[in-house]
Amino acid sequence: MEAIISDASTPRITSRRRHWPSPLVIFSACLVLLGAGGPLLLRVYFVHGGRRLWLSTFMQLSGWPLHLLPISVLLFRGRRDGVANHLLPPRLAGAIAVAVYVYSLGMQALPLSTSSLLLSTQLAFTSVFAFFFAGLRLTPFSANAVVLLIIGPAVLGVGSSSVKPAGESSRAYWVGFFETIAAAALMGLVLPLVEAAMSRYGRRGRRELAAASAPPPYVTVMQIQALMGAAGSVVCLIGMAVTGNFQALPEEAAGFGLGKAKYVLVFVSEAVSWQLFNLGIMGLVICSSSLLAGIMIAVLLPVSQVLGVIFLHEKFDGTKGIALVLSLWGFVSYLYGENAKQKKQEAEAREQQAVKGTGGDLESVILD
């Protein structure tokens, strides 16, 4: 009895293990940051004389062959689950191509810093669509983040006369403004749809792998990205053929402001940068959630702002400053809310474990 009392009175030590992101999530986030140069290079293309929208769209999707070598190596080393097991609905690839095309339309008319602020609204769209398609439940903090990320671009719209490039008409600015918002909405729709498709069709989705207590292999991420990149590239090539982009390429390269050699260099560098970005985003969607992917896109907002000011000598006035502060405020609000939510869940889990432990100890005393 003494031993039982001693054991019952001894406080249970609950391990407070910190839930750090998995290595695959961290790796995906690093790829997104490495791809931050993609929007800058796209704006460089337009600033120095580039005018081909289907070509600029193709640049953002054409880097998918970079995945073929690592996919082949990983499959050869034992993973025989080929791409047939990881197919997504073809309409998702078409939706991505459309989103990228609309994004190119906006980038053609707006400065990089302005378009990056407008694209931050994709987090709001991602949150809404993830609620309907991926079962996301908004907290007061995440709802606050959504509101702030809507107000930020609205401030840009009110102060449009101070942010539009010199010599550009108000009509062209507003067209680019709404095209960029539309691109953000499309991307905010595509990310939750990819997450939902991965879970619904059982193609080694996040929920299935979580139930199996195994992280998704990155070969799956590369396979999906390669398939969607290839499908999107086909759509772009058809658009280029229909609009006569192929015939106009030699003339555009010869008249490019930085020279023909740098025209090719911009094309190749942009394809690589965007592919790193796309692979990182797809990895976050599959390994974690579409909302986290949207958050990482919002994280690139300050990076794009700085790159546009440094390399393209864009103005950073008070209107952009206010919009940037509101957007960052929304991002911090989301992070704080997620941290508070995780602490609450851990506290509830510890309380339930303590109640179960106390019940077990009392049962042992009664039986003895």
Side-chain angles (χ1 to χ4, degrees):
M1 184 69 177
E2 181 180 358
I4 294 175
I5 294 174
S6 174
D7 180 71
S9 61
T10 303
R12 290 180 176 269
I13 301 175
T14 304
S15 62
R16 296 189 179 186
R17 179 176 62 86
R18 294 185 179 274
H19 298 283
W20 297 104
S22 71
L24 291 179
V25 172
I26 296 175
F27 178 67
S28 298
C30 292
L31 287 179
V32 174
L33 293 175
L34 288 175
L40 173 67
L41 291 169
L42 181 60
R43 185 58 186 167
V44 167
Y45 168 76
F46 286 125
V47 167
H48 293 282
R51 291 291 181 268
R52 309 300 165 184
L53 292 173
W54 278 114
L55 175 63
S56 63
T57 307
F58 180 70
M59 289 179 184
Q60 300 172 58
L61 299 171
S62 61
W64 63 268
L66 296 173
H67 305 314
L68 296 182
L69 179 59
I71 288 174
S72 301
V73 171
L74 290 171
L75 292 178
F76 180 78
R77 293 183 61 181
R79 293 194 177 277
R80 301 298 180 182
D81 50 339
V83 296
N85 296 327
H86 310 296
L87 290 174
L88 290 173
R91 58 183 175 273
L92 285 180
I96 288 179
V98 172
V100 173
Y101 180 80
V102 177
Y103 171 64
S104 298
L105 287 172
M107 285 292 291
Q108 187 179 29
L110 299 179
L112 175 61
S113 52
T114 302
S115 62
S116 64
L117 283 170
L118 294 177
L119 285 172
S120 68
T121 59
Q122 62 78 31
L123 178 57
F125 291 111
T126 299
S127 301
V128 173
F129 290 125
F131 173 81
F132 289 106
F133 299 114
L136 173 70
R137 292 296 178 265
L138 292 175
T139 65
F141 292 100
S142 58
N144 179 61
V146 170
V147 172
L148 290 172
L149 286 167
I150 293 175
I151 295 176
V155 172
L156 276 180
V158 173
S160 61
S161 60
S162 62
V163 298
K164 64 187 175 82
E168 183 176 321
S169 66
S170 296
R171 181 181 181 279
Y173 173 85
W174 278 107
V175 169
F177 185 96
F178 287 110
E179 286 170 345
T180 307
I181 292 292
L186 287 171
M187 188 55 63
L189 172 63
V190 167
L191 295 180
L193 287 180
V194 171
E195 181 183 6
M198 289 296 296
S199 299
R200 181 179 302 172
Y201 296 105
R203 275 30 175 216
R204 300 183 67 86
R206 179 174 59 87
R207 293 189 179 94
E208 289 76 11
L209 288 160
S213 300
Y218 223 74
V219 64
T220 302
V221 180
M222 288 187 289
Q223 286 176 329
I224 294 174
Q225 181 55 41
L227 284 169
M228 299 188 75
S233 297
V234 170
V235 174
C236 294
L237 290 174
I238 294 175
M240 291 174 64
V242 171
T243 56
N245 279 189
F246 290 109
Q247 293 83 351
L249 286 182
E251 180 181 354
E252 182 175 90
F256 192 64
L258 299 177
K260 189 173 182 178
K262 290 187 178 180
Y263 178 84
V264 178
L265 180 61
V266 167
F267 183 96
V268 175
S269 301
E270 187 176 351
V272 173
S273 295
W274 277 109
Q275 201 55 218
L276 292 174
F277 176 85
N278 294 336
L279 181 62
I281 292 298
M282 188 62 63
L284 290 174
V285 172
I286 297 174
C287 300
S288 181
S289 68
S290 58
L291 187 59
L292 180 58
I295 289 296
M296 277 306 302
I297 295 175
V299 168
L300 291 183
L301 169 63
V303 178
S304 298
Q305 291 278 344
V306 172
L307 292 178
V309 172
I310 293 177
F311 294 101
L312 298 178
H313 307 292
E314 296 180 350
K315 291 178 59 179
F316 190 86
D317 54 15
T319 303
K320 290 182 182 178
I322 294 174
L324 177 59
V325 169
L326 290 173
S327 298
L328 291 178
W329 183 7
F331 175 63
V332 172
S333 174
Y334 172 83
L335 292 182
Y336 180 83
E338 287 299 301
N339 185 53
K341 179 181 177 182
Q342 181 178 343
K343 287 182 178 179
K344 181 179 179 181
Q345 291 174 345
E346 291 176 349
E348 291 176 351
R350 288 195 298 269
E351 183 178 350
Q352 291 177 358
Q353 184 178 1
V355 171
K356 290 181 181 179
T358 303
D361 291 338
L362 290 175
E363 183 179 356
S364 298
V365 173
I366 294 172
L367 290 176
D368 288 344

